[in-house]
């Protein structure tokens, strides 16, 4: 029973560390690099309100698990390292694909969009970001894994720290409940109007409307402004329809 508790605590700890670190990575990427955020606003990545990105949390668990495989026991050769890094890239890409597919097919929401990238599949994964995932896996393997092992060992020796891990998980569950309520409302609207909502564009559009009483870290509540929630969705749909019409007209002109 105690061993199960230690394993569960370790998984939650890894999930929390990865989720928070990934949130900061995506926060700065979307601020300075995302094409869907041309006005360079601070956009809260993911669908949660708090600084937490579950995809990266599961990703860190995957990286930790792969790095602990028997493959890397004993002498570490160049071949073993190459196989490990490739496995990391494949598993992280697969994780991204599954997560993206769940949101698109199940919730009619696109949390990210690689449609304009070369070698993309449904706009969920693409060659360039698969390479990024592989590079991230290599960085973890060479520079982070050793420290992560030390932190996990420390956690096992100081199990009282699991209290704080539990507090994090409790806050995380509250955030999931609150955010899922918003996501379900978006899904209902998207299903009725037969559209797929690109979440980052929706956030950027909502933030383009000036809000009163703006406060620090207001971007965390990126779908909140002076308009009712349903009005924000209607404005998004109108822009969505106009964009589709523009693409159709552009395609017709090219054919001529």
């Amino acid at each position: 029973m105690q061993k199960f508790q230690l394993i569960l605590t370790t998984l939650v700890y890894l999930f929390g560390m990865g989720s928070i670190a990934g949130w900061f990575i995506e926060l700065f990427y979307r601020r300075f690099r995302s094409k869907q955020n041309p006005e360079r606003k601070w956009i809260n990545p993911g669908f949660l309100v708090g600084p937490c990105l579950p995809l990266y949390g599961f990703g860190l668990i995957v990286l930790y698990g792969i790095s602990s495989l028997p493959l890397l026991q004993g002498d570490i050769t160049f071949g073993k390292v190459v196989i490990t890094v490739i496995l990391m890239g494949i598993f992280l890409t697969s994780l991204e694909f599954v997560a993206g597919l769940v949101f698109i097919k199940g919730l009619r929401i696109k949390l990210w969009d690689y449609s304009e990238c070369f070698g993309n599949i449904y706009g969920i994964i693409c060659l360039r970001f698969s390479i990024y995932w592989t590079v991230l896996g290599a960085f973890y393997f060479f520079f982070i894994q050793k420290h992560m092992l030390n932190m996990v060992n420390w956690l096992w020796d100081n199990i009282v720290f699991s209290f704080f891990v539990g507090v994090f998980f409790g806050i995380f569950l509250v955030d999931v409940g609150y955010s899922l309520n918003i996501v379900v409302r978006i899904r209902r609207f998207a299903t009725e109007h037969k559209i797929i909502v690109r979440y980052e564009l929706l956030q950027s559009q909502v933030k383009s409307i000036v809000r009163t009483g703006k406060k620090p870290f207001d971007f965390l509540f990126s779908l909140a402004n002076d308009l009712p929630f349903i009005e924000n969705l209607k404005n998004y749909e109108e822009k969505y329809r106009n964009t589709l019409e523009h693409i159709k007209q552009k395609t017709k002109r090219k054919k001529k």
Side-chain angles (χ1 to χ4, degrees), residues 1 39 49 76 114 158 188 199 211 215 225 246:
M1 184 65 182
E39 297 179 10
V49 172
I76 299 179
Y114 302 151
N158 299 270
R188 189 182 302 121
Y199 205 69
R211 282 178 281 179
K215 300 176 181 178
N225 63 14
H246 175 73

Side-chain angles (χ1 to χ4, degrees), residues 189 205 233-243:
F189 181 89
Q205 182 175 316
L233 289 174
K234 287 180 179 178
N235 289 337
Y236 173 85
E237 185 205 8
E238 182 180 354
K239 188 173 183 179
Y240 174 87
R241 301 293 183 192
N242 291 337
T243 301

Side-chain angles (χ1 to χ4, degrees), residues 56-234:
Y56 280 81
F58 288 116
L60 181 57
I61 292 175
V62 167
L63 293 178
Y64 181 85
I66 292 176
S67 299
S68 303
L69 289 174
L71 171 68
L72 293 177
Q73 304 305 315
D75 296 332
I76 299 179
T77 64
F78 177 77
K80 287 183 177 181
V81 172
V82 170
I83 293 173
T84 301
V85 171
I86 290 176
L87 280 175
M88 288 177 171
I90 292 173
F91 273 89
L92 290 177
T93 300
S94 301
L95 184 63
E96 182 180 41
F97 183 75
V98 171
L101 205 60
V102 166
F103 270 86
I104 291 176
K105 298 296 184 181
L107 299 171
R108 302 188 68 85
I109 291 174
K110 247 186 180 180
L111 292 178
W112 59 88
D113 190 4
Y114 302 151
S115 298
E116 298 181 1
C117 297
F118 171 76
N120 77 86
I121 300 178
Y122 302 131
I124 301 174
I125 59 174
C126 68
L127 179 61
R128 177 156 62 97
F129 279 86
S130 292
I131 293 173
Y132 287 169
W133 286 124
T134 305
V135 171
L136 184 63
F139 181 82
Y140 170 85
F141 180 77
F142 288 110
F143 301 104
I144 300 178
Q145 170 67 1
K146 182 179 178 180
H147 301 292
M148 194 59 64
L149 285 171
N150 292 335
M151 285 190 285
V152 169
N153 290 333
W154 180 89
L155 180 65
W156 282 50
D157 293 334
N158 299 270
I159 195 61
V160 68
F161 185 76
S162 62
F163 169 78
F164 298 100
V165 177
V167 169
F168 161 81
F169 196 60
I171 295 174
F172 168 76
L173 290 178
V174 172
D175 194 348
V176 168
Y178 173 82
S179 301
L180 278 179
N181 179 52
I182 295 175
V183 168
V184 168
R185 293 170 67 187
I186 294 175
R187 178 186 181 277
R188 189 182 302 121
F189 181 89
T191 301
E192 290 175 358
H193 294 79
K194 299 179 180 179
I195 61 173
I196 299 292
V197 175
R198 290 195 288 176
Y199 205 69
E200 188 173 344
L201 283 179
L202 175 61
Q203 289 176 306
S204 182
Q205 182 175 316
V206 169
K207 283 182 68 64
S208 67
I209 301 173
V210 178
R211 282 178 281 179
T212 58
K214 191 171 182 180
K215 300 176 181 178
F217 305 108
D218 203 24
F219 68 93
L220 291 174
F221 297 89
S222 53
L223 295 184
N225 63 14
D226 294 332
L227 294 179
F229 186 72
I230 194 67
E231 287 297 320
N232 286 315
L233 289 174
K234 287 180 179 178

